Amino acid sequence: MSVALRSFEAQYRERPADGLDVWRDAAMQRLVELGLPTSRDESWRYTNLRALQAQRYTAAQVAGPAATGAPADATAWLTDGGRIPSVVLVDGRLRDAAPALPEGIRVHSLRELAAREPQRVARHLGLPRDTDLRRWELLNTALFSDGLLVEVGGNADHSLCIAHVASANGTASAVHPRIIVELAPDSRATLLEHYLDTGAGTSLCNSCTQVALGAGARLEHYRVFAAGATATQIDSLDLVQQPDSSCRLYTIALGGELLRTALDARLAGAGALLESHALLVGHGSRHVDCAAVVTHAAPATQSRQSVRAIASGTSRVITNNKVIVAPGAIHADSQQSLRGMLLSPTAEIDTRPQLEIHTDEVRCAHGATTGRLDREMFFYLLSRGIDRDTAQSLLVFAFLGDVLAGMSQGAARAAIEGALITQLPDADRLKDFR
Amino acid sequence: MLLKISDLHVSVGGRQILKGINLEVRAGEVHAIMGPNGSGKSTLAQVLAGREDYEVTGGSVSFEGRDLLALPAEERARAGFFLGFQYPVEIPGVNNVYLLKAALNAKRKAAGLAEVDAYEFLALIRQKMKFMQMSEAFLSRGVNEGFSGGEKKRNEILQMLVLEPKLAILDETDSGLDIDALKIVSKGVNSLRDPARAVVLVTHYQRLLDYVAPDQVHVLAGGRILKSGDKSLALELEQRGYDWLLESAVA
């Protein structure tokens, strides 16, 4: 057993019992049997966790609300100046009481629910069949100390921002925030999840979000990963969609030293639609590994995946997107467009589209390309007097632009654009461009 | 002398394309460079604009007395040099208006001028667009994005009119245009004619010269200027083709 897993197990034994112990025990036990993933595991081939495995982690100290270092604007960033209600989790714990929300959307602290009505949480914690692919989720199930259950109903379009603030205190602390989202049939919501960092020490955030969309429900889900330069984040998103539901997902990778995101989407009901867009920014020595498995499990389901990755410095970006069309999912329609742009000779981008089709009468298209700046476009801009740095930034921004253009939340889009620009070469010249 | 090209030799990938070009263009003049396919016309235009894939193996180019070849492409543009591309590239995601504004401001900055006022700039663009008979939709689109061949060429001329270069080289701006578009493009070129500026038209056909009367016509073939003359040379080429010139050059 690795040092890291041993430290997690020790934390597990020391944690106070709650109404979820049966499920937590099962998860921890299974994880101990399996061990944490290593680069020998197919889906972890490109991400070396050796340093992580050797780390002895402690549970993040839970600070009182007054002691948290969450900046005042932690939530203002994506929330349109506070117009979108927000909930702040500091090191995986709810910072304040849940805000007053309009009718039709409710949030509960998982910690409180675990004490009061554990069955409402427990039904989301059952062991999945493919546990070996979900080991970090198992760890999250065993160790999450708090999180949110978000329930959306009614016909109004609800918006909510969840800010995850890690206040690493210099030790190798680990947090395991858990978010569970349920949209009732025909309900609509916009959800913004924002992961950020206020500390400076090494930290591990092992986040897990589960989303269930009822029949006809519609969700626009922004997930912005903007942790500090030394942070490690391993994130799992499970999405299950019932008939005719639609989800538009934005995964924005802007921070951290190591970021791994794993999407597992199951289009369980006929006519379900998933649009998954990712903007992956490799900067400095960052390592971004974005894995997605989209399973078409019902007829006439549609998925659209587009990934735009850029890498500068010595960064590395991996995008591994798999589409599975299950038997019986006739008329499934999937498209994958994975594109990378290398901005330095020492950066690396790997795009891996994969298809696994178990039925006839489907339409599956995929394309993957990685290249450098387009020379024709670059020269055209120079020939108009634009300087080289600006020309490069413009072309990078244009490359990312079609994903940004689809965002319907204007304020979130502007915030994300602003954050993206700061990570492009020659950032300040682009302000005018926005 | 606005532009003076002396004995210019250029190769691409080890192959000699231009084999000693001599050309002088004075302010106020319009020159036409004609010639068969593969004669080196586009290479000349691209080299002058600062394309880095070409290697200058000999000769010199001065622009208002400055060594043009020593300047990177972006500085040539700011100094008042403009290339109208034969195949303008599409740049989705970079807005037309933004490009024009950034280009104009880059030029103004190099001249020590303040940035253009946003409101005045938009008024200027609208006026030039109207002159070039371009639709409003242009304003919100990416550079050349989804434009037809004719629209792209019109956009090149629009950019030229906004940037007001001292020297414009238009590389086959007339090719692929229908007669109406050709008239509009010609109107744009003629509107830039001015005692302080010069235009060099690179073209295959004499047709454009019906609308933009050149002061001098040069025939470029095999990497050299074989013959220069006035407008009547273009008419002669239209009737006789290029072969008689090529033959006499060999002889």
Side-chain angles (χ1 to χ4, degrees), chain B residues 12-250:
Chain B
V12 183
R15 197 172 136 245
Q16 201 73 31
I17 306 289
L18 300 183
K19 301 168 182 168
I21 299 280
N22 291 289
L23 182 67
E24 293 187 359
V25 180
R26 285 174 185 77
E29 292 178 343
V30 171
H31 288 234
I33 297 179
M34 303 183 73
N37 289 327
S39 59
K41 302 189 299 293
S42 285
T43 299
L44 177 62
Q46 298 267 330
V47 164
L48 293 178
R51 186 112 190 175
E52 283 154 11
D53 315 76
Y54 298 92
E55 193 192 350
V56 175
T57 54
S60 65
V61 180
S62 83
F63 179 61
E64 290 194 304
R66 295 170 79 181
D67 178 4
L68 188 75
L69 300 177
L71 299 176
E74 62 274 28
E75 286 181 33
R76 297 183 195 191
R78 291 176 212 153
F81 182 93
F82 180 90
L83 170 65
F85 283 73
Q86 183 179 3
Y87 303 110
V89 64
E90 296 193 21
I91 314 181
V94 174
N95 178 271
N96 272 308
V97 177
Y98 175 79
L99 170 63
L100 273 170
K101 193 171 163 194
L104 183 58
N105 279 332
K107 194 184 161 200
R108 290 177 64 94
K109 192 176 164 196
L113 298 170
E115 289 201 347
V116 64
D117 174 78
Y119 187 80
E120 284 172 25
F121 175 74
L122 210 59
L124 171 76
I125 296 291
R126 285 185 191 280
Q127 179 216 328
K128 303 286 188 196
M129 278 171 60
K130 199 173 162 197
F131 185 73
M132 291 302 294
Q133 299 181 30
M134 294 170 75
S135 85
E136 284 277 309
F138 163 86
L139 293 169
S140 57
R141 281 158 75 179
V143 174
N144 292 319
E145 189 177 5
F147 286 21
S148 69
E151 284 175 317
K152 286 178 185 171
K153 298 296 177 72
R154 255 191 260 189
N155 192 21
E156 295 293 290
I157 301 301
L158 176 78
Q159 292 179 11
M160 180 182 81
L161 295 184
V162 170
L163 295 173
E164 298 185 317
K166 290 176 190 149
L167 176 68
I169 295 199
L170 304 179
D171 189 4
E172 301 207 18
T173 299
D174 54 334
S175 62
L177 294 184
D178 62 32
I179 195 74
D180 292 327
L182 184 68
K183 283 181 183 169
I184 294 166
V185 162
S186 304
K187 188 174 79 164
V189 175
N190 283 324
S191 76
L192 198 79
R193 285 187 95 148
D194 174 315
R197 301 178 208 288
V199 177
V200 176
L201 304 167
V202 174
T203 181
H204 259 306
Y205 306 106
Q206 189 269 336
R207 201 176 57 157
L208 173 67
L209 308 180
D210 287 342
Y211 299 97
V212 185
D215 299 297
Q216 285 191 51
V217 175
H218 312 276
V219 179
L220 179 61
R224 287 189 188 88
I225 289 180
L226 297 186
K227 191 172 175 63
S228 297
D230 61 12
K231 199 187 162 197
S232 64
L233 175 59
L235 295 169
E236 193 177 0
L237 290 169
E238 183 81 353
Q239 284 171 358
R240 300 177 63 186
Y242 293 109
D243 288 347
W244 62 281
L245 273 174
L246 299 177
E247 281 157 19
S248 63
V250 172

